[in-house]
């Protein structure tokens, strides 16, 4: 039986992305990004992807023994079996690789998703990636990974389709931002890696998705006009430096962590589809990052047969072009035919198979005791059993895999909730005996416990009931939800069974003012307003405000209730026009905390847990403040007949989220990294120590390993600070380390500061602890698009330690290339009032201190000491001798077979077809002269 969500998926995939396209009409088509100081955005620089061929063969680095087992296995396969191994098939899981019983292989079961095993009964629903990000807690991230993986394994799955780092979160409107972590690539990268390592340590293959540039849902897939013409999916047009420093960054962490698989995305990247983009797959992922696992397509993101394989795709999912049927397929028999007629090298196919089988052996999924697929899974997925092409061996049905995970879920739900405002110590609550509860987010979900994002929920969601998760394939099937109302009643009952918990859960009723008057006596000692914001796959958010007239709800309640506490459950950032209302005494951003949503919150409200969540994004004042990185959409686009019309230009380049607000010195309501506690912390003694000497701008040339050049991961500096709990209760602090990297020549938009360290530590009142941050070579480098190298700039790096991106307590500088290392000496013992020259204090909108260099925007950056006076590009950078350069040369890359005309490729998207620009041919851009910086005349890759 197919669920309605799955029917929707099939509809989307088969018919078009009409659902996607029609979802949005709110945004502009024109990037309104920074212009005065920045380079011109020339569409022609980004409308093609360079061809990178051949696809690099895995060598098994990092998992040699498993690779050997995989090689032995593959050497015993027939050509047809190899084709089967790389092609999805109808079966009991959301993705299935058929068994090859003669070799003892039961096949592979792939299941969603990033916060739970979705296609399952009796499984837990964990906090979303967004909540993990807001926890800033590596240990809890890892524990969640382990716990989730145990559940996947208990259900007989081999591959978990998560975690998510694409979307990264370029736009707060993005419908799937909550599935991932944070728009900050460092924070995402660290927690992505913890999750992956946690999952794989428990024997499940992780799948890092969606690779790459999958930053909007609108037109994520091709659509078909009424006249039958295909309109290609949106193209995320990204420059090379931004690709490396933002979007690729967390995937590099994932590869370093040994992630088993990567899911290529629906969208196009610089004109070429994510699952046949040889630059991103062969070039960036397999060549530059040394990825040893396999690339699987997102469901129906494959648009060709052998060309996709040659471009780096290893596994086609779900296999059938018709989604629920095995045939026709781009892979399967067409792979066999392509090998037989010489258009696809069997070597490539062998590499695909070895890549797929290595993690299977590595994680000992071949063990006889590995659980079989839960028989209940069949009924929860979308393939009719009549379509199964194999006899799958299933295990028992409805195995309960939840164990005691609820406790960790409750803990993480609280850890990822951010206390934004707390006037007069409103929180924690004492023992109020008259509490008013308002809002449709407080009670039990009334539309069932599975938010599958089908047509009924659409981009609106359900009206009544708490929102512990978003919708679509990233959701989970809840077995229960502890609502806030239920948890509050339980709590109140524990200290005063006679206390009043009065509630009105209908926003409309309260907004009409009659709702509040139902309560008596009034005002309650505290009013708690529950707000929610729906987000789901398939739609971008129509607004950054809370849903269901929640903003008006707060104002209405606060008018009558002088002690109004606001709680939001949201799939991302919300602008909060009520934030400065004096009757709104406290605000908690509770994100998507999973099944224990009510308990996690009550723990914070009554102070059993001290809030320690920090914002993993910035809350500005107005929706329009975010127009620098718009979702691409317009009425004209929705009716276009131009197949190539959908172009999303990432014109803001590196300046997303706090990087934008800091660079342009814009005030914000609550900044990235911010979050209150019931105690207070101070910070002292910043010291930065070089771990070596004689540092060079470029990393030593070492053989590529998973994660790229190993030298990029060398720790070049450690920074330490002393963190002290100066309040009266125990609590967890999150000291954060930001770097102000030098402005490279011939480049623009280097952010004022970037996060490069964070730790969460719990301290008793009066206690202090030294926290150490490690700074790798990559952390202190920028991506040089001319040389294709991570490069250390030639001037000083600002090192800033504090409690948010705008609450910097201490700072110093280091200058790696002069051999000198800074230390805290002179600044160490003080607060921001002892800041060094150039860092004089300014009070931010949040009432906290920040260095002037961070608040004065670009002028300071450009004219200040962070800019090399006369930096030049060394001649050696231009030698083009690296393998990367070689593989990208226009003359070296095209496999002979590629030009064969006899190949079986049912695709309308083969070489030369619209939207498939990474075909062999001239690709070099016209240089960067349009940038007006007089840079070197040639460049590798995108401008
Ligand atoms: C989503 C993936 C998901 C897959 C299988 C796709 O629509 O983009 O994230 O894993 O479906 O459900």
């Amino acid at each position: 039986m197919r669920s309605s969500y799955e029917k929707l998926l099939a509809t989307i995939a088969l018919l078009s992305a009409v659902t996607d396209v029609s979802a949005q009409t709110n945004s502009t088509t024109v990037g309104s990004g920074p212009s005065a100081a920045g380079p011109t955005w020339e569409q022609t620089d980004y409308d093609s992807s360079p061809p990178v061929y051949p696809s690099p063969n895995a060598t098994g680095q990092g998992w040699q023994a498993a690779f050997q087992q995989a090689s032995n296995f593959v050497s015993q396969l027939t050509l047809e079996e190899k084709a089967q191994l790389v092609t999805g098939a109808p079966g009991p899981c959301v993705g299935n690789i058929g068994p090859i019983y003669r070799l003892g292989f039961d096949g592979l079961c792939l299941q969603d998703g990033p916060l739970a095993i979705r296609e399952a009964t009796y499984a837990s629903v964990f906090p979303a990636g967004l909540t993990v990000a807001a926890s800033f807690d590596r240990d809890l991230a890892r524990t969640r990974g382990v716990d989730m993986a145990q559940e996947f394994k208990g259900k007989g799955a081999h591959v978990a389709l998560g975690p998510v780092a694409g979307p990264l979160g370029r736009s707060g409107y993005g419908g799937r931002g909550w599935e991932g972590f944070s728009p900050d690539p460092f924070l995402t990268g660290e927690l992505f890696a913890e999750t992956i390592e946690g999952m794989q340590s428990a024997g499940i293959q992780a799948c890092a998705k969606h690779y790459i540039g999958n930053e909007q849902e609108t037109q994520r897939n091709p659509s078909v006009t009424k006249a039958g013409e295909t309109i290609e999916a949106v193209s995320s047009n990204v420059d090379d430096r931004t690709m490396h420093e933002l979007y690729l960054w967390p995937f590099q962490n994932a590869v370093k962590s040994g992630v088993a698989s990567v899911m290529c995305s629906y969208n196009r990247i610089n004109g070429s589809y994510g699952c046949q983009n040889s630059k991103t797959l062969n070039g960036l992922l397999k060549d530059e990052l040394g990825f040893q696992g396999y690339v699987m397509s997102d469901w129906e993101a494959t648009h060709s047969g052998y060309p996709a394989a040659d471009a780096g795709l290893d596994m086609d999912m779900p296999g059938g072009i018709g989604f629920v049927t095995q045939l026709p397929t781009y892979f399967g028999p067409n792979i066999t035919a392509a090998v037989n007629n010489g258009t696809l090298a069997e070597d490539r196919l062998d590499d695909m198979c070895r890549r797929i089988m290595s993690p299977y052996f590595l994680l000992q999924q071949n063990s006889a005791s590995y659980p079989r697929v839960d028989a209940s899974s069949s009924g929860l997925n979308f393939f009719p059993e009549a379509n199964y092409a194999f006899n799958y061996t299933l295990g028992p049905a409805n195995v309960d895999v939840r164990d005691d995970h609820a406790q960790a879920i409750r803990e993480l739900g609280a850890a990822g909730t951010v206390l934004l405002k707390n006037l007069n110590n409103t929180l924690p609550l004492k023992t109020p005996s008259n509490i008013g509860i308002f809002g449709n987010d407080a009670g039990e979900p009334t539309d069932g416990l599975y938010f599958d994002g089908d047509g009924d929920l659409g981009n609106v969601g359900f009206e009544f009931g708490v929102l512990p998760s978003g919708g679509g394939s990233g959701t989970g099937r809840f077995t229960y939800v502890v609502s806030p109302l239920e948890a509050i009643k339980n709590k109140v009952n524990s200290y005063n069974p006679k206390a009043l918990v009065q509630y009105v859960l209908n926003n409309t009723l309260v907004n009409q003012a009659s709702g509040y008057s139902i309560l008596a006596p009034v005002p309650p000692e505290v009013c708690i307003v529950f707000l929610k914001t729906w987000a789901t796959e398939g739609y971008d958010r129509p607004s950054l405000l809370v849903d269901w007239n929640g903003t008006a709800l707060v104002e209405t309640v606060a008018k009558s209730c002088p002690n109004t506490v606001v709680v939001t459950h949201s799939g991302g950032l919300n602008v909060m026009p009520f934030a400065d209302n004096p009757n709104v005494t406290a605000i908690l951003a509770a994100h998507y905390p999973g099944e224990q949503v009510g308990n996690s919150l009550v723990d914070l409200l009554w102070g059993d847990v001290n809030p320690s969540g920090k914002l993993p994004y910035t809350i500005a004042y107005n929706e329009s403040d975010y127009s620098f990185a718009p979702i691409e959409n317009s009425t004209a686009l929705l009716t276009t007949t131009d197949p190539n019309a959908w172009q999303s230009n990432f014109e803001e380049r590196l300046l997303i989220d706090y990087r934008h607000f800091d660079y342009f010195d814009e005030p914000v309501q609550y900044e990235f990294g911010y979050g209150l506690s019931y105690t207070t912390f101070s910070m002292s003694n910043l010291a930065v120590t070089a771990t070596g000497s004689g540092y060079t701008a470029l990393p030593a040339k070492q053989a590529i390993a998973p994660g790229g050049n190993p030298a990029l991961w060398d720790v070049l500096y450690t920074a330490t600070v002393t963190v002290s709990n100066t309040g009266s209760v125990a609590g967890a602090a999150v000291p954060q380390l930001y770097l102000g990297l030098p402005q490279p020549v011939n480049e623009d938009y280097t952010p004022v500061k970037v996060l490069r360290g964070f730790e969460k530590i719990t301290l008793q009142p009066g206690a202090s602890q030294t926290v150490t941050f490690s700074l790798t070579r990559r952390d202190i480098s920028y991506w040089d698009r001319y040389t294709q190298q991570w490069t250390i700039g030639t001037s000083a790096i600002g090192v800033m330690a504090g409690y948010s991106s705008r609450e910097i307590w201490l700072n110093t500088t280091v200058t790696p290339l002069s051999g000198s290392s800074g230390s805290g000496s002179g600044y160490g013992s003080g607060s921001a009032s002892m800041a060094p020259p150039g860092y004089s204090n300014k009070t931010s909108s949040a009432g906290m201190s920040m260095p002037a260099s961070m608040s004065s925007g670009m002028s300071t950056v450009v004219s200040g000491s962070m800019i090399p006076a006369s930096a030049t590009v060394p001649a050696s950078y231009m030698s083009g001798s690296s393998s990367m350069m070689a593989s990208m040369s226009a003359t070296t890359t095209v496999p002979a077979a590629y030009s064969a005309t006899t190949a079986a490729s049912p695709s309308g998207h083969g070489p030369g077809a619209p939207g498939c620009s990474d075909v062999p041919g001239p690709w070099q851009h016209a240089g960067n002269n349009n940038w007006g910086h007089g840079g070197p005349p040639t460049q590798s890759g995108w401008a």
Side-chain angles (χ1 to χ4, degrees):
M1 194 188 80
R2 295 167 65 196
S3 79
S4 42
Y5 158 66
E6 285 135 359
K7 282 183 210 151
L8 174 77
L9 272 186
T11 310
I12 288 171
L14 282 173
L15 299 178
S16 74
V18 168
T19 319
D20 296 340
V21 198
S22 60
Q24 296 291 311
T25 50
N26 60 303
S27 303
T28 63
T29 56
V30 184
S32 50
S35 56
T40 318
W41 184 273
E42 295 293 340
Q43 178 73 47
T44 47
D45 277 347
Y46 309 101
D47 63 3
S48 67
S49 283
V52 182
Y53 298 94
S55 192
N57 278 343
T59 59
Q61 201 172 355
W63 49 37
Q64 271 82 4
F67 181 74
Q68 198 48 55
Q69 284 176 281
S71 304
N72 293 344
F73 179 86
V74 173
S75 69
Q76 299 171 60
L77 297 178
T78 65
L79 178 58
E80 287 71 19
E81 285 167 339
K82 291 177 192 172
Q84 174 190 320
L85 193 59
V86 300
T87 311
C93 301
V94 76
N96 306 275
I97 293 295
I100 304 171
Y101 290 124
R102 74 177 183 90
L103 295 175
F105 175 62
D106 290 353
L108 295 177
C109 164
L110 289 61
Q111 299 280 39
D112 285 317
L115 59 63
I117 174 162
R118 176 171 66 87
E119 305 86 350
T121 53
Y122 298 100
S124 307
V125 180
F126 292 77
L130 174 67
T131 292
V132 180
S135 78
F136 275 69
D137 193 318
R138 297 167 197 272
D139 292 341
L140 294 185
R142 184 175 285 252
T143 301
R144 171 179 170 271
V146 171
D147 289 352
M148 286 197 307
Q150 284 170 353
E151 299 202 9
F152 276 87
K153 185 169 174 179
K155 289 287 188 181
H158 301 90
V159 185
L161 301 175
V164 171
L168 182 68
R170 171 181 181 253
S171 168
Y173 289 92
R176 301 187 81 175
W178 58 277
E179 293 187 40
F181 298 90
S182 160
D184 182 84
F186 181 84
L187 180 59
T188 291
E190 299 298 300
L191 299 173
F192 201 40
E194 294 287 356
T195 306
I196 289 164
E197 290 175 25
M199 291 169 80
Q200 298 198 165
S201 75
I204 280 290
Q205 301 184 38
C207 175
K209 69 185 190 182
H210 309 84
Y211 182 80
I212 191 167
N214 193 167
E215 298 295 321
Q216 69 174 60
E217 291 299 281
T218 309
Q219 193 68 14
R220 65 177 185 164
N221 278 312
S223 54
V224 180
T225 64
K226 283 193 182 125
E229 191 177 11
T230 297
I231 307 298
E232 305 296 345
V234 66
S235 176
S236 295
N237 299 327
V238 194
D239 68 273
D240 191 36
R241 184 176 171 211
T242 302
M243 176 62 90
H244 282 81
E245 294 187 26
L246 288 187
Y247 301 101
L248 186 63
W249 181 288
F251 285 98
Q252 186 162 10
N253 292 59
V255 176
K256 175 84 168 47
S257 293
V259 73
S261 59
V262 168
M263 186 189 290
C264 50
S265 56
Y266 285 128
N267 55 291
R268 294 180 292 162
I269 303 105
N270 295 21
S272 179
Y273 273 101
C275 293
Q276 59 185 51
N277 188 318
S278 67
K279 167 67 179 174
T280 57
L281 301 180
N282 289 342
L284 298 180
L285 188 62
K286 293 184 176 177
D287 186 347
E288 188 181 321
L289 301 189
F291 177 55
Q292 298 294 311
Y294 55 99
V295 175
M296 74 170 76
S297 69
D298 200 342
W299 271 231
E300 299 281 62
T302 305
H303 296 292
S304 66
Y306 73 90
D310 276 336
L313 179 66
D314 301 305
M315 180 191 279
D316 175 26
M317 276 293 156
I321 294 172
F323 221 97
V324 296
T325 54
Q326 181 149 29
L327 296 172
T329 171
Y330 289 123
F331 272 34
N334 283 309
I335 290 288
T336 314
V339 170
N340 282 334
N341 70 17
T343 45
L344 178 68
E346 191 158 4
D347 265 5
R348 171 79 263 269
L349 180 58
D350 288 348
D351 176 57
M352 293 155 74
C353 294
R354 285 190 295 262
R355 285 175 175 276
I356 290 168
M357 292 307 290
S358 295
Y360 172 82
F361 286 114
L362 177 79
L363 301 178
Q364 293 167 12
Q365 296 183 330
N366 57 327
S367 150
S369 62
Y370 200 88
R372 304 263 186 218
V373 175
D374 191 301
S376 67
S377 175
S378 290
L380 300 170
N381 272 305
F382 47 69
F383 302 106
E385 285 185 30
N387 290 5
Y388 289 8
F390 302 97
N391 279 329
Y392 296 95
T393 320
L394 303 180
N398 299 314
V399 176
D400 190 334
V401 291
R402 292 170 294 179
D403 205 346
D404 61 355
H405 297 155
Q407 187 49 42
I409 290 171
R410 179 174 182 161
E411 187 185 352
L412 180 54
T417 296
V418 186
L419 179 63
L420 296 173
K421 183 178 183 182
N422 194 17
L423 287 185
N424 311 319
N425 296 323
T426 291
L427 299 180
L429 299 173
K430 315 306 178 276
T431 49
S433 55
N434 182 1
I435 300 177
I437 307 286
F438 301 90
N440 61 10
D441 178 59
E444 304 287 336
T446 53
D447 291 20
L449 295 180
Y450 184 54
F451 317 144
D452 60 355
D454 69 8
D456 297 336
L457 296 177
N459 68 344
V460 178
F462 52 92
E463 181 167 5
F464 293 106
V466 65
L467 201 51
S469 132
S473 68
T475 194
R477 177 177 290 276
F478 289 87
T479 54
Y480 69 92
V481 172
V482 179
S483 75
L485 182 57
E486 177 188 355
I488 288 171
K489 281 190 194 173
N490 285 342
K491 178 70 188 180
V492 171
N493 193 45
S494 73
Y495 66 78
N496 180 3
K498 295 195 169 162
L500 295 188
V501 178
Q502 311 188 62
Y503 53 87
V504 186
L505 308 185
N506 185 327
N507 292 11
T508 312
L509 201 61
V510 181
N511 282 341
Q512 287 163 356
S514 54
Y516 185 83
S517 65
I518 295 171
L519 271 56
V522 285
E525 288 160 62
V526 58
C527 296
I528 312 180
V529 181
F530 286 90
L531 308 173
K532 62 179 176 179
T533 307
W534 173 248
T536 183
E537 176 177 0
Y539 298 90
D540 293 308
R541 287 169 55 188
S543 166
L544 296 179
L545 293 165
V546 293
D547 295 347
W548 306 104
N549 292 320
T551 304
L553 181 72
V554 177
E555 301 293 355
T556 308
V557 172
K559 221 179 276 167
S560 307
C561 188
N563 190 21
T564 297
V565 172
V566 173
V567 178
T568 61
H569 288 115
S570 176
L573 74 90
N574 290 111
V575 291
M576 300 183 171
F578 48 78
D580 295 325
N581 181 328
N583 284 358
V584 173
T585 48
I587 304 175
L588 284 155
H591 301 120
Y592 284 161
E595 64 189 35
Q596 287 281 326
V597 46
N599 286 335
S600 297
L601 187 74
V602 158
D603 288 347
L604 296 171
L605 287 176
W606 270 271
D608 296 320
V609 173
N610 192 343
S612 63
K614 308 294 161 195
L615 280 185
Y617 50 76
T618 298
I619 297 179
Y621 287 102
N622 304 299
E623 290 180 283
S624 58
D625 295 340
Y626 295 91
S627 60
F628 55 84
I631 298 287
E632 186 69 15
N633 198 4
S634 70
T635 311
L637 281 171
L638 294 172
T639 53
T640 187
T641 53
D642 172 3
N644 203 28
W646 286 85
Q647 304 290 331
S648 176
N649 295 333
F650 290 21
E651 293 183 48
E652 74 289 347
R653 299 174 190 260
L654 296 171
L655 301 185
I656 60 172
D657 198 62
Y658 69 89
R659 289 162 165 78
H660 168 90
F661 295 111
D662 284 353
Y663 195 89
F664 294 99
D665 191 21
E666 291 176 13
V668 300
Q669 184 87 54
Y670 302 115
E671 73 277 11
F672 176 90
Y674 167 81
L676 299 172
S677 165
Y678 296 151
T679 188
T680 50
F681 298 99
S682 69
M683 190 181 284
S684 56
N685 300 327
L686 171 63
V688 185
T689 311
T691 59
S693 59
Y695 292 148
T696 53
L698 299 183
K701 233 181 219 174
Q702 296 180 10
I704 295 294
N709 182 343
L712 295 175
W713 300 92
D714 291 346
V715 173
L716 302 194
Y717 290 94
T718 56
T720 53
V721 290
T722 306
V723 172
S724 305
N725 183 340
T726 51
S728 54
V729 290
V734 181
Q736 298 158 38
L737 193 78
Y738 294 86
L739 298 185
L741 294 171
Q743 170 70 48
V745 282
N746 302 317
E747 291 291 349
D748 283 270
Y749 296 165
T750 292
V752 176
K753 62 171 117 44
V754 291
L755 182 75
R756 287 293 187 261
F758 65 90
E759 289 300 332
K760 185 172 249 189
I761 55 161
T762 299
L763 290 175
Q764 295 301 316
S768 295
Q769 190 177 317
T770 300
V771 173
T772 304
F773 306 102
S774 297
L775 292 169
T776 65
R777 175 173 277 279
R778 186 181 65 153
D779 287 335
I780 65 169
S781 299
Y782 71 97
W783 177 258
D784 187 316
R785 64 197 166 104
Y786 302 107
T787 64
Q788 296 290 292
Q789 294 278 2
W790 287 98
T791 306
I792 298 177
T794 50
S795 55
I797 295 171
V799 182
M800 298 160 256
Y803 288 119
S804 83
S805 59
R806 290 195 171 185
E807 186 189 343
I808 301 299
W809 280 67
L810 303 162
N811 49 56
T812 184
T813 60
V814 293
T815 312
L817 296 192
S818 74
S820 68
S821 71
S823 78
S825 161
Y827 322 117
S829 59
S831 67
S833 62
M834 295 183 68
Y839 288 88
S840 60
N841 298 324
K842 178 184 168 186
T843 300
S844 76
S845 56
M848 294 170 298
S849 61
M850 58 190 289
S853 60
M854 282 178 279
S855 63
S856 56
M858 181 177 172
S859 56
T860 303
V861 176
V862 170
S863 61
S865 62
M866 288 182 186
I867 299 291
S870 59
T872 53
V873 179
S876 63
Y877 288 18
M878 300 309 300
S879 66
S881 57
S882 75
S883 64
M884 185 68 191
M885 296 281 281
S887 73
M888 289 175 53
S889 128
T891 56
T892 57
T893 58
V894 184
Y898 207 84
S899 57
T901 53
T902 51
S905 173
S907 171
H909 297 270
C916 303
S917 65
D918 70 332
V919 295
W923 58 272
Q924 276 182 310
H925 308 304
N928 64 332
N929 293 340
N930 54 313
W931 283 38
H933 294 288
T938 59
Q939 60 193 55
S940 297
W942 301 306

